[in-house]
């Protein structure tokens, strides 16, 4: 059994993540992967766009079945992501992004999630994975941010 991940809804965890985000600079280089730092920030924002902004289409029934069956267990568990995991099409950021804009968006999303708290997420439906527990939400959100902040050495 894996160690439990930090709780994304805890203020101290949020502040530690924000400190890491604020440690990024426009010229911070990745330790692996193809995205530059602004693209990574935009990539991390996609998860929150799917929660708050209703700009991404809901996957069709077959795709939701596949996502819930094959992808969800990897995404919501405590097991860390590998460096070579495939990226879902909605999360691919290949165009140029503005570092300060994407950083500010991500900080706003992280703060909003923390202020809403765990109870707002318990039993909330994910666009791709169906209804998740507050623990699954926390694991998914923390693990994704931690993975990409580690990718950029913060």
């Amino acid at each position: 059994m894996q160690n439990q991940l930090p709780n994304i809804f805890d203020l101290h965890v949020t502040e530690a993540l924000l400190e890491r985000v604020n440690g990024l600079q426009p010229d911070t280089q990745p330790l692996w992967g193809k995205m530059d730092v602004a693209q990574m920030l935009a990539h991390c924002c996609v998860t929150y766009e799917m929660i708050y902004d209703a700009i991404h289409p809901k996957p069709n029934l077959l795709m939701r079945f596949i996502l819930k069956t094959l992808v969800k267990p990897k995404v919501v568990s405590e097991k860390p992501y590998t460096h070579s995991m495939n990226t879902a099409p909605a999360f691919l950021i290949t165009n140029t992004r503005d570092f300060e804009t994407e950083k500010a968006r991500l900080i706003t999303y992280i703060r909003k999630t923390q202020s809403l708290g765990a109870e707002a997420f318990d039993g909330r439906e994910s666009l791709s994975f169906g209804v998740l527990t507050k623990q699954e939400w926390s694991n998914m959100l923390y693990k994704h941010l931690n993975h990409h902040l580690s990718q950029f050495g913060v």
Side-chain angles (χ1 to χ4, degrees):
M1 185 170 150
Q2 297 291 319
N3 293 334
Q4 187 170 342
L5 293 172
N7 184 343
I8 195 88
F9 302 110
D10 180 275
L11 181 59
H12 299 292
V13 172
T14 297
E15 292 303 324
L17 286 169
L18 293 174
E19 189 174 314
R20 291 170 70 190
V21 171
N22 283 317
L24 295 166
Q25 299 299 321
D27 61 350
T28 302
Q29 295 299 305
L31 302 175
W32 72 85
K34 299 175 185 173
M35 293 184 286
D36 66 30
V37 67
Q39 290 170 325
M40 177 275 288
L41 292 167
H43 167 88
C44 288
C45 285
V46 172
T47 301
Y48 295 97
E49 291 168 358
M50 289 181 171
I51 296 169
Y52 299 119
D53 299 337
I55 59 174
H56 297 277
K58 190 172 187 173
N60 66 38
L61 195 57
L62 176 60
M63 183 54 70
R64 278 180 63 108
F65 175 77
I66 292 168
L67 290 169
K68 285 172 76 171
T69 306
L70 301 177
V71 179
K72 177 184 171 185
K74 295 175 185 170
V75 171
V76 303
S77 72
E78 288 83 10
K79 186 177 178 184
Y81 292 138
T82 61
H83 295 184
S84 60
M85 270 186 76
N86 289 334
T87 302
F91 287 83
L92 291 173
I93 307 294
T94 56
N95 57 341
T96 301
R97 297 298 180 103
D98 178 72
F99 173 80
E100 294 299 336
T101 300
E102 298 304 333
K103 181 178 168 184
R105 282 191 336 122
L106 183 58
I107 288 169
T108 299
Y109 283 135
I110 293 169
R111 288 194 185 283
K112 179 176 183 174
T113 300
Q114 193 282 320
S115 70
L116 286 172
E119 296 313 312
F121 284 82
D122 202 24
R124 184 178 185 145
E125 185 172 359
S126 157
L127 191 68
S128 301
F129 305 128
V131 174
L132 300 178
T133 67
K134 61 187 172 187
Q135 186 64 56
E136 289 172 326
W137 278 108
S138 179
N139 288 352
M140 177 175 69
L141 294 171
Y142 180 84
K143 186 163 72 167
H144 190 236
L145 283 173
N146 183 61
H147 174 78
H148 288 295
L149 293 172
S150 297
Q151 177 186 13
F152 282 82
V154 294

